[in-house]
Amino acid sequence: MPSPLPSRTRGPKPTKVDPDHLLDAAQAVFAEEGLRAASLRAIARRAGCDPALIYYHFASKEALFLALLDRRFPAVLQDMARLAEPTDLRPTPLRLWDVLLIYHRHLKDDPGIRALIRGEIVRGAEGLGHLIEDQIRPMIGSIQRIFEQGIARGEVRPGVQPLMATFFLAKMQLEILDVLPAVLPLLTELPPEGAVLTGMRAWLEILWRGVALDPAAPLPTLPSPLV
Amino acid sequence: MPSPLPSRTRGPKPTKVDPDHLLDAAQAVFAEEGLRAASLRAIARRAGCDPALIYYHFASKEALFLALLDRRFPAVLQDMARLAEPTDLRPTPLRLWDVLLIYHRHLKDDPGIRALIRGEIVRGAEGLGHLIEDQIRPMIGSIQRIFEQGIARGEVRPGVQPLMATFFLAKMQLEILDVLPAVLPLLTELPPEGAVLTGMRAWLEILWRGVALDPAAPLPTLPSPLV
DNA sequence: GATCCAATTCAACAGGTGTTGAATACTGGT
DNA sequence: ACCAGTATTCAACACCTGTTGAATTGGATC
């Protein structure tokens, strides 16, 4: 026995750890710990592999995070773009409600990405330039267009600035998804379960009355999200 | 010369480093780096002293942060309580505008505290219990009362839920202070200087029309903040 | 002048971080 | 049977973190 101990743990596993599985783990850890506090070791532990393996699939921690975003954003962007098509002639409040539903559908379970859109995108993370250009700006453009079409169709007050309204609509929805379920039970006796949906309806009602040309007109019934 | 070198750097400085100066430095670093990333070494560097000195005045990093909050909150709370007194018979939109102005005045230069109110308060930081009980809950209560009084006075729609409206009003103001100056130049050619005030006015206009009993009534002129 | 205390720094600790180079094992092709 | 390539781990690097105990100094008090 010349060699001290032939270790048997190295080499490929019976079932490969594909990059998508790593992204799942990363998403979960980012969600729990926050962006900065999430460590590669924690992510690797979650994925059941060694931290070094992450570097086999991704160039760095930042690249891992960017890959996470690149996986999620296109679907949101696409949904939003479809919603903004001028051939959609439904009442504007219904379309705005759909904006909220799209966020709800795609971002409900991904606080990491919400945190990014929320603010992390502003300061730092140099590699984000392409994301802002390719995904976020068009997404905002889509919502903005819904407001513009609403003005043209005589449903929205002409005094409303579409970009501001977009900012308000989207930002608040992120807050509703993020903190309302945590904050509402702190302030009332309400259970957190219905908090998000309650908040969304209350928000759209106030926002719509705020921007509508005829605020006295009744809101159409807002369908619940499909679960 | 028996001793190698009698160091002359130790001992009290000619001018004492008082705890308030440490808090100033801490606030600045928390603002720039974010809560988690702000290191005691960076704070000490900013304050021009050794990291260990921080432990002479504060028990831990968390205690330092809590002291920072305890220094800022009472003034906000007091302003808000005064504003909510039922003897204030000015039009409700003017009072809501004052809510925004109070946030603007006290939190404009303190992103660390804004970040805390925004979300950090939810997850983690065990020592925050007393703050929520003593400062934040009464603060929210004050705003809520303004809405309730507005309903009683026939200015606000009775359908409006005061707590939800409070959440929307305050949350959005934090977003306006926080990200609007950074995000607006990214999306338009507008300079960041006027972004906050423009955003605040646009926000109050939409929110007020959204909650007013008579949304057609014109907004009173909103005074600019005193700088 | 000796003594005490408050204020400050130094040097180190233990632990965590992102990252890398080398070693290893399995698989498929020739 | 060899070889190449792919996927995986190990062990270490340099650095940063919050925190602490001991050492030091200056001023006030006795």
Side-chain angles (χ1 to χ4, degrees):
Chain A
M1 302 99 170
S3 80
L5 248 183
S7 51
R8 276 166 201 121
T9 57
R10 268 155 150 144
K13 289 188 174 179
T15 65
K16 275 194 271 195
V17 179
D18 79 314
D20 232 55
H21 180 227
L22 283 181
L23 287 177
D24 290 341
Q27 173 175 320
V29 176
F30 278 135
E32 283 171 19
E33 312 281 336
L35 248 85
R36 199 149 208 155
S39 78
L40 290 176
R41 282 168 172 85
I43 294 172
R45 213 176 307 129
R46 181 76 142 244
C49 72
D50 191 272
L53 183 60
I54 298 179
Y55 284 85
Y56 182 76
H57 291 290
F58 304 94
S60 68
K61 185 185 179 182
E62 189 184 5
L64 171 67
F65 184 64
L66 288 179
L68 205 53
L69 300 182
D70 279 327
R71 187 173 71 154
R72 176 112 329 170
F73 264 109
V76 186
L77 175 56
Q78 192 183 334
D79 280 9
M80 220 61 99
R82 186 176 309 142
L83 185 58
E85 278 170 12
T87 53
D88 182 347
L89 296 176
R90 292 175 303 154
T92 302
L94 262 187
R95 301 173 81 196
L96 296 179
W97 179 245
D98 268 0
V99 171
L100 300 191
L101 290 183
I102 289 175
Y103 275 122
H104 182 263
R105 182 169 350 121
H106 287 106
L107 308 183
K108 182 163 43 84
D109 300 318
D110 202 337
I113 297 215
R114 294 204 303 266
L116 177 107
I117 306 182
R118 213 175 48 205
E120 218 93 21
I121 218 167
V122 169
R123 75 164 78 248
E126 298 302 317
L128 289 177
H130 79 283
L131 248 167
I132 298 184
E133 280 305 322
D134 300 350
Q135 317 272 357
I136 296 190
R137 200 194 297 266
M139 191 177 76
I140 292 176
S142 292
I143 306 179
Q144 201 173 339
R145 229 164 303 127
I146 297 180
F147 281 108
E148 289 164 354
Q149 293 165 11
I151 296 178
R153 296 175 192 176
E155 300 181 83
V156 175
R157 264 192 300 125
V160 170
Q161 307 169 41
L163 183 61
M164 280 290 179
T166 298
F167 178 81
F168 296 150
L169 177 67
K171 268 294 173 192
M172 189 57 78
Q173 170 68 347
L174 293 179
E175 294 297 318
I176 290 172
L177 289 173
D178 247 355
V179 308
L180 204 53
V183 112
L184 213 51
L186 248 60
L187 299 174
T188 71
E189 280 92 29
L190 293 178
E193 290 92 47
V196 166
L197 212 57
T198 306
M200 285 168 63
R201 298 194 119 96
W203 170 228
L204 189 77
E205 194 200 324
I206 288 184
L207 178 87
W208 174 245
R209 286 193 134 95
V211 301
L213 185 69
D214 174 16
L219 262 179
T221 49
L222 306 173
S224 278
L226 304 171
V227 282
Chain B
M1 302 98 177
S3 80
L5 250 182
S7 49
R8 278 168 200 120
T9 58
R10 270 157 151 144
K13 288 189 176 179
T15 66
K16 276 195 270 195
V17 178
D18 79 316
D20 232 56
H21 181 228
L22 283 180
L23 287 178
D24 290 342
Q27 172 176 321
V29 176
F30 278 136
E32 283 171 17
E33 310 282 337
L35 248 84
R36 199 151 208 153
S39 79
L40 290 176
R41 283 170 171 85
I43 294 172
R45 212 177 307 130
R46 181 75 142 246
C49 71
D50 191 272
L53 183 59
I54 298 179
Y55 284 85
Y56 182 76
H57 291 289
F58 304 94
S60 66
K61 184 184 180 183
E62 190 185 5
L64 171 68
F65 183 63
L66 288 180
L68 206 53
L69 300 182
D70 279 327
R71 187 172 71 154
R72 178 114 327 173
F73 265 109
V76 186
L77 175 56
Q78 192 183 334
D79 281 9
M80 218 62 100
R82 185 176 308 143
L83 185 58
E85 278 170 13
T87 53
D88 182 347
L89 295 175
R90 292 175 302 153
T92 302
L94 261 189
R95 301 173 81 197
L96 295 180
W97 178 246
D98 267 1
V99 172
L100 299 191
L101 289 183
I102 289 175
Y103 275 122
H104 181 263
R105 180 165 357 117
H106 287 104
L107 307 183
K108 181 164 43 82
D109 299 318
D110 201 337
I113 297 215
R114 295 204 303 265
L116 178 107
I117 307 182
R118 212 174 48 205
E120 216 95 19
I121 217 167
V122 169
R123 77 165 75 243
E126 298 300 318
L128 289 177
H130 78 282
L131 248 168
I132 298 184
E133 280 305 322
D134 300 350
Q135 317 272 0
I136 297 191
R137 200 195 296 266
M139 191 177 78
I140 292 176
S142 292
I143 306 178
Q144 201 175 337
R145 230 165 301 128
I146 297 180
F147 281 108
E148 288 163 354
Q149 293 165 10
I151 296 178
R153 296 176 192 174
E155 299 180 85
V156 175
R157 264 192 301 124
V160 169
Q161 307 169 41
L163 183 61
M164 279 291 180
T166 298
F167 178 80
F168 296 149
L169 176 67
K171 269 292 172 194
M172 189 58 79
Q173 172 67 348
L174 294 178
E175 295 297 318
I176 289 172
L177 289 173
D178 246 356
V179 308
L180 203 53
V183 112
L184 214 52
L186 248 60
L187 299 173
T188 71
E189 280 93 28
L190 293 178
E193 291 92 49
V196 165
L197 211 58
T198 307
M200 284 169 63
R201 298 195 119 94
W203 170 228
L204 189 77
E205 195 200 324
I206 288 183
L207 178 85
W208 174 245
R209 286 192 134 96
V211 301
L213 186 69
D214 174 17
L219 262 182
T221 48
L222 307 173
S224 279
L226 304 172
V227 283

